Amino acid sequence: MKTTNDAAKSTHRAVRTPGGLSIRLDVRAFVVVLLLLVVALAASVVLIGTGDFPIPAADVLRTLVGEGNAGQEFIVNELRLPRVLVGLLVGASLGLGGALFQSISRNPLGSPDVLGLGQGATAGALTMIVLFSGSANQVALGALAGGLVTGFAIYVLAWKRGVHGYRLVLVGIGVSAIVTAVNGYLLTKSDIVDAARAVVWMTGSLDGRDWAQVWPLLALCAVLVPLVLANGRGLRMMEMGDDVAYALGVRVERVRLLLLVAAVLLTASATAAAGPVSFVALTAPQLARRLTRSPGPNLLASVCMGAALLVVADWASQRAFGAEQLPVGVVTGVLGGVYLLWLLVTERKAGRI
């Protein structure tokens, strides 16, 4: 009979690179990442073909490589592809941001939804809508600024000779309550047109997204995702405790601050692009960890899981009710709320809360 250590070792392989370096490869996590990528890409192709003018998956693939007719190229490349790319990038950003917050706080509830970053971004967007009647770009910038200010406030208030995980979560919950009250006040001060516009934005939707949202988010992900992955080892050491991480040569506060800034930027930019899409940042890292059965933050698996979750949820919302009747934020909110209740019950039975 295999012991736990033997079973863990059997899922890892040592891979030697041409330069002579030996890399430890988690086979199960590698397979899970590949499968999640396949699911995300397959769901994207199906989603591109879904709509008032349905296009078979084979025709979608031909159009993407430049072999479709003029009508298909317009529908695919100009109308639907940007929406799907925004969905993939927003899901990946939320998945990675959630994994960072949960790992840094060492708490499965330490996600942007609970800590109030989404509410802070919403406050920035509402300020631009209600007080300045801002354009779509101005609303996006307001959401980004609101998320960054909220993240900074949480970090400062949680600081006491370092940032403790539970203190970070508790401060975040308090800030979330305050900002939610501010959002309610802004809605009561708005006229009917601005209020309707604000409620639509607050729901979280990919409807109407175009290339203007794709490029900034793609550029930010191209910078932050490699940066975060490069600091994954330090983050893994920090999960064992600050003292252990210090002993292993990790500059704990420097790495923690860097990754917190990255997590706030990822979450705020995703919210600016698609609105506050609920619970993806909470559920994606947890589902990724359960699939890989691997300790540590599972950053790459969380990225792929977040992208797959959001695209599949958007496809489900269109197939079931139509994109305008049921935005993707409603689907993720319902599914994420059910998952949160299950997680709370599980944590309580395990005696952790």
Side-chain angles (χ1 to χ4, degrees):
M1 180 180 295
K2 286 186 177 182
T3 65
T4 303
N5 290 335
D6 291 335
K9 290 178 181 177
S10 65
T11 64
H12 294 81
R13 296 291 185 274
V15 179
R16 188 170 296 278
T17 65
L21 295 176
S22 181
I23 300 175
R24 184 169 174 263
L25 177 65
D26 188 331
V27 178
R28 182 185 179 91
F30 181 73
V31 172
V32 168
V33 168
L34 286 182
L35 290 177
L36 289 174
L37 280 174
V38 171
V39 170
L41 294 177
S44 299
V45 172
V46 173
L47 181 57
I48 290 175
T50 302
D52 294 333
F53 184 80
I55 302 175
D59 291 340
V60 170
L61 292 174
R62 280 195 292 268
T63 303
L64 289 174
V65 297
E67 297 180 1
N69 59 47
Q72 290 175 339
E73 288 186 357
F74 175 75
I75 292 173
V76 170
N77 296 328
E78 299 300 326
L79 299 181
R80 297 179 183 173
L81 180 58
R83 173 190 177 120
V84 172
L85 289 177
V86 170
L88 289 171
L89 292 170
V90 167
S93 299
L94 292 176
L96 183 56
L100 289 173
F101 277 114
Q102 290 177 21
S103 181
I104 290 172
S105 65
R106 297 196 285 275
N107 190 322
L109 299 179
S111 78
D113 304 295
V114 178
L115 296 181
L117 290 175
Q119 292 84 345
T122 300
L126 289 181
T127 299
M128 299 306 300
I129 293 173
V130 174
L131 300 182
F132 301 102
S133 297
S135 64
N137 290 334
Q138 290 172 331
V139 171
L141 289 175
L144 182 62
L148 293 175
V149 170
T150 304
F152 177 77
I154 293 172
Y155 184 83
V156 170
L157 293 174
W159 173 267
K160 185 179 179 181
R161 296 189 299 274
V163 177
H164 188 271
Y166 278 97
R167 188 163 61 241
L168 182 69
V169 173
L170 291 175
V171 170
I173 292 173
V175 171
S176 175
I178 295 172
V179 178
T180 299
V182 172
N183 293 341
Y185 172 76
L186 289 172
L187 284 175
T188 62
K189 300 299 291 184
S190 62
D191 58 40
I192 188 65
V193 175
D194 288 338
R197 182 185 175 195
V199 170
V200 170
W201 189 89
M202 291 170 62
T203 304
S205 175
L206 298 176
D207 190 41
R209 298 305 184 263
D210 56 26
W211 291 104
Q213 285 84 35
V214 173
W215 299 121
L217 194 54
L218 180 61
L220 191 67
C221 288
V223 174
L224 292 181
V225 172
L227 178 65
V228 169
L229 294 179
N231 286 274
R233 180 183 176 277
L235 184 61
R236 190 177 297 108
M237 298 299 104
M238 288 164 55
E239 286 192 342
M240 296 186 293
D242 289 359
D243 293 339
V244 175
Y246 275 121
L248 294 172
V250 179
R251 297 181 178 180
V252 173
E253 288 306 325
R254 178 179 176 181
V255 173
R256 180 182 286 127
L257 179 59
L258 175 65
L259 294 180
L260 278 174
V261 170
V264 170
L265 281 172
L266 287 166
T267 304
S269 60
T271 305
V277 180
S278 304
F279 287 116
V280 173
L282 173 67
T283 57
Q286 291 295 313
L287 291 175
R289 178 169 293 191
R290 281 166 170 75
L291 286 177
T292 60
R293 297 180 185 174
S294 175
N298 289 282
L299 298 177
L300 193 56
S302 298
V303 170
C304 299
M305 177 61 77
L309 274 179
L310 195 55
V311 174
V312 171
D314 192 35
W315 173 81
S317 70
Q318 290 194 50
R319 294 291 296 178
F321 300 96
E324 295 183 355
Q325 297 179 11
L326 190 61
V328 67
V330 176
V331 176
T332 60
V334 172
L335 297 178
V338 173
Y339 178 80
L340 177 59
L341 291 175
W342 176 84
L343 181 63
L344 289 172
V345 171
T346 303
E347 292 292 303
R348 182 178 180 182
K349 287 182 177 179
R352 290 189 285 267
I353 59 175

